[in-house]
Structure formats: structure tokens, C-alpha cells
Amino acid sequence: MRYISTRGRAAPIGFRAAVLSGLAPDGGLYVPASWPALSPAEIDAIAGLDFCDAAARILALFAGDELSEEALRGFAQHAYAAFDDRAVAPLRHLSGDDYVLELFHGPTLAFKDVAMRLLAQLYDWALDDAPRGKTIIGATSGDTGGAAIAAFSGSSKAEVFMLHPKGRISEVQRRIMTTVDVDNIVNIAVEGSFDDCQRIVKDLFADKAFNARVDLGGVNSINWVRLAIQTVYYFTATAALGEAASFVVPTGNFGDVFAGYVAKRMGLPCRKLGVAVNENDIMRRVINDGVYEPSTVRPTTSPSMDIQVASNFERLLFESVDLDAAMLSALMAQLEDERRMVLPPSLVEKIAADFCADRAEEGEVSAKIKSVKASGGMLVDPHTAVGLVALDKFRLRREIEGPAVVLSTAHPAKFPDAVAEASGEYPALPARYADLMSLRENLIEAPAEAAAIRAIVFAHSKFV
Ligand SMILES: *Cc1c(COP(=O)(O)O)cnc(C)c1O
């Protein structure tokens, strides 16, 4: 399987390189040169498989001849052994035609674990013959960092330097990262905002002298293989339901919902893909009105979706212009020059064939958490509640009919204050986190300057 850049000016790469890659050298994102296709019989066969076997079967299509289904099964079994539900991603009935797909049973209580844990296994494989490992530097507003730290902890092929904005993530989020006590993980609390953290990471990736000494790797959500892994639960959820569903996906960077689109392109029977956003609603605006225009980020109770640049949307645009890299590049240049991008009506129409989009106000989110608890006792986190609010709106407008699955992207105990305030019940952490609040934290504080982070990397890296 070959992967090409959406901007058309980077050489195609294979699966091994895709495992380790973030942005393509031409500034684009990698996508498969063509979609692997599954026949209806092959899709039916997935219904008989457990999650690890399904993951191996589907990812083998993306790996091509570089990695066997059998090897992938071993990686998947290793990756998902730490999940606290044997189904990995269990489907639960909520009411009527509404279902919830629980993606938070991994070590760090959010859906990012599903892709990150298998990606870490694939990293070790991809670097098998490499003389030294990769230095992963990332910025996190909470969930990605925790998932990366848990997944790569103890790896001999990677070390992780994770930056978070000091005092601006929840205590549970911070402790999930900082109580991991192994020598290939370094937590850095930056005296600044998440944007400062991201800017520093960008500066370090652009620093040629630094890169000559440190072999940098990224694991952020533009990594293609993370998306490929996320297609798996669309297949297993459809199999568990026994019929084609619509999926409603709490969305930030447009990665998770794009994985649903990929599953559909691979042949999975699927009705609508509902894009659910909080008050940071750039994806609702572009899908409904055709105008993509970042504004300023507004903090909400669903912080993992407080995003104004939905990087993975570029992948959908590329599909929508029929892989015309020149046209895609022109659209992205317009965005860079004018800070907004206006899609031609034909594109808006094409996107509307697969997607619908709506947003949830903060008041609607807390009312939903409360009403779900009142009607059946289930506690849902604010990100999941955004999805449930959007589903109600889709049903009202008949944009979604029939069975619908809302992706539940975080455990309620990861955002306990918002859940308790809305529902009156303080969600309990799973037993394995019983001592989370008393364990010693490991972190280094640093000013919001690239030079300070560089010095920390040199002082702690075992690869330089
Ligand atoms: C990252 C995240 C999302 C958004 O996923 P995207 O792939 O960025 O759209 C939603 N909910 C939670 C809890 C997350 O951590």
C-alpha cells in the first residue's frame, strides 16, 4: 500500500514510513493512494471476529505486504490487553434507536488510547532495525499526551517529551500523565497556554540543527495510521448492531469522524456521519455553509474539542476534489492568505451526501448529562453529551433516521467536575486508579521558550 500527500509534491511512502510520519514534507497529509475495498462477504466475516482479530484483518489491508495479519494480531492483543472491557469498544443501548459506543476503556480513560496503543506497537516494529529510537515531542491539552505516555512507557525505541500548559488541564488529566514513573517519559509543565506549547513544538520541529542531533517523531492526530486504526470500531459496532447505522462523533480535529468516512469508503454499510461540535463550531459552519474560518478558541467543559483548526478536514477536501492536489493546494493557499476558505457549492453538496453537522451549547451539554442520568442512570462525559445533543437535533431535522451510534469518547471520571455539577453525582474513577491522587508526580517546570525545552531534551535524552 502506498501513501500520497494531499498537496501532491512529496514522494509517496509505504506503510512503515506512514507509521512514523506526521506532516508530509510538502506540508500536506498522507492518505492511501486508493481505498482498500472489502466485499460484503468480507464485511460479514468481520462480525464473527473479536476486536483484536478485526483490527488485524482491517489493518492488514493498509499495511499491504509490509506486515502480515498474524503479526498485526499479536500487536493488537498486546495493545488491548490493558483495556478493562474484553470487547475493547462495547456497544450499549441507550433508548429507542440510540446507542452509545464506549471507547474509553483504555488506560487513560479516553478514546485516544485505542489508536495510540497499537501505534506504539507499530512504532517498535517500524524502528526494529533503526540504530536508535525516536524522540517524540508533543503538546497536549489533556488526552493525547496521556494516551501517548501510557502507550510508549517502557518502549526502547521511543522517548516522549510531553508539554502541557501548567495549571490549565484537569488534575485527573495531569496525574494520569505525571504519575507514570519510567525513564523514557518526561513531562514538562510549561508556564503558558496550550498555544504556547504547540508553538514551541513547531519551532523545535523546524530547528534544523536540533533535528540533526535528535531524530524527532510525532504522534499527533495527523498521523495516518492512527486514523486507520480508528476505522476498526466502526466495523465492529456495525457488526454488533447487525445493521447499517448512522454515527454521531464528538469532533475536534476531524480525525475520528474521518475514520468513519474511511470505513464507509472501504465498503462498510453506513447511513449518515454526524459531526458534533461544542461552541467551537468551525466544522459545523463549513459543512453547513461552506465557509471554513478559524476564530478564537472558547474554553468549554469538553476541552478536547476546543479547537479552531480541524487539521484532518484537509483529507476530506482532497477526497471531495477527486484527489486533485493542485485544486486542494489552491484552497489551502486561500486559507493561508485570507484566513478563510470558501468552498464551491458543488463541494458543499458532495460533503452533505455523507455528513451532517450541529453544535451543542454549554447549557445543552449539562442538561443532557442530567437527563441521561435521570432516565436510566448512565453517566456520560461532556464530550459524549455533545454528541447526544447533536443527535437530538439531527433527528428533529430528519437528517438522521433509524439506528444511530454516538461515540462515547471519554470516561465521565476524566471530567468529574463538569459531570458532578450537571448530574449531582461525582463519577468514580475505575479501581485501577484508586491511588491516582496520592502517587508521586514526575514533572519538570519550564518557561514558554523553545530554548528551555531544548535544554531539557538534551539533559534527559538517551538517544543524543
Ligand atoms: C480528541 C478527543 C475528541 C476529538 O477527536 P478528533 O479526532 O480530534 O475529532 C473528542 N473527545 C475526546 C474525549 C477527545 O480526547
Side-chain angles (χ1 to χ4, degrees), residues 70-130:
E70 197 184 334
L72 281 160
R73 186 177 306 118
F75 292 152
Q77 283 164 349
H78 198 270
Y80 300 122
F83 276 53
D84 69 8
D85 192 301
R86 279 183 52 90
V88 180
L91 184 72
R92 305 235 184 270
H93 183 235
L94 190 60
S95 62
D97 266 341
D98 297 350
Y99 296 81
V100 168
L101 183 63
E102 293 184 354
L103 300 175
F104 53 71
H105 289 282
T108 74
L109 312 178
F111 91 94
K112 304 271 194 318
D113 284 326
V114 179
M116 199 69 85
R117 289 193 74 77
L118 188 46
L119 181 67
Q121 298 291 309
L122 292 169
Y123 239 77
D124 281 357
W125 160 76
L127 290 166
D128 202 21
D129 301 327

Side-chain angles (χ1 to χ4, degrees), residues 38 41-59 69 73 86-88 232 235-237 239-240:
L38 285 156
E42 287 170 320
I43 289 171
D44 285 347
I46 290 174
L49 304 179
D50 72 10
F51 192 87
C52 292
D53 289 349
R57 173 91 30 105
I58 291 162
L59 288 169
E69 183 176 332
R73 186 177 306 118
R86 279 183 52 90
V88 180
V232 174
F235 284 93
T236 58

Side-chain angles (χ1 to χ4, degrees), residues 110-112 143 230 250-256 304-305 383 409-410 415:
F111 91 94
K112 304 271 194 318
D143 293 335
Q230 287 168 220
T251 300
N253 221 348
F254 203 70
D256 209 8
S304 303
M305 309 188 329
H383 302 78
T409 53
F415 301 94

Side-chain angles (χ1 to χ4, degrees), residues 109-112 142-144 173 221 226-227 230 249-258 302-305 307 312 381 383-384 407-411 414-415:
L109 312 178
F111 91 94
K112 304 271 194 318
D143 293 335
T144 302
Q173 286 180 314
S221 73
R226 275 180 64 184
L227 298 190
Q230 287 168 220
V249 187
T251 300
N253 221 348
F254 203 70
D256 209 8
V257 70
F258 186 73
S302 44
S304 303
M305 309 188 329
I307 278 175
N312 282 298
D381 99 290
H383 302 78
T384 307
L407 271 51
S408 180
T409 53
H411 191 289
K414 197 156 190 186
F415 301 94

Side-chain angles (χ1 to χ4, degrees), residues 207-223:
D207 178 343
K208 290 220 165 66
F210 184 66
N211 273 268
R213 287 181 63 188
V214 182
D215 187 9
L216 289 183
V219 293
N220 59 13
S221 73
I222 55 175
N223 176 287

Side-chain angles (χ1 to χ4, degrees), residues 276-429:
V277 290
N278 65 25
E279 292 176 7
N280 299 286
D281 67 347
I282 182 165
M283 283 312 306
R284 177 193 68 85
R285 287 179 280 124
V286 67
I287 288 172
N288 292 342
D289 312 328
V291 180
Y292 183 91
E293 186 171 22
S295 61
T296 50
V297 174
R298 217 194 260 207
T300 71
T301 51
S302 44
S304 303
M305 309 188 329
D306 291 347
I307 278 175
Q308 281 295 336
V309 180
S311 312
N312 282 298
F313 183 50
E314 177 166 342
R315 290 189 159 110
L316 179 65
L317 276 181
F318 188 55
E319 286 303 311
S320 305
V321 298
D322 299 319
L323 314 194
D324 182 342
M327 182 162 174
L328 189 273
S329 299
L331 280 168
M332 299 313 290
Q334 186 195 2
L335 176 64
E336 239 154 71
D337 295 345
E338 299 167 26
R339 313 292 308 143
R340 74 204 290 259
M341 173 166 68
V342 182
L343 306 186
S346 61
L347 282 195
V348 179
E349 208 172 290
K350 213 165 177 180
I351 290 170
D354 292 305
F355 294 90
C356 52
D358 216 324
R359 67 181 224 153
E361 319 285 329
E362 285 294 273
E364 293 173 314
V365 171
S366 65
K368 183 49 99 178
I369 293 171
K370 188 175 176 178
S371 70
V372 170
K373 161 141 197 261
S375 62
M378 194 191 280
L379 282 183
V380 293
D381 99 290
H383 302 78
T384 307
V386 166
L388 291 167
V389 168
L391 174 57
D392 288 346
K393 296 181 181 183
F394 296 139
R395 286 212 187 276
L396 216 60
R397 287 202 302 271
R398 303 192 150 217
E399 287 173 330
I400 285 183
E401 295 179 298
V405 176
V406 173
L407 271 51
S408 180
T409 53
H411 191 289
K414 197 156 190 186
F415 301 94
D417 298 332
V419 172
E421 201 176 315
S423 69
E425 180 179 334
Y426 200 85
L429 281 164

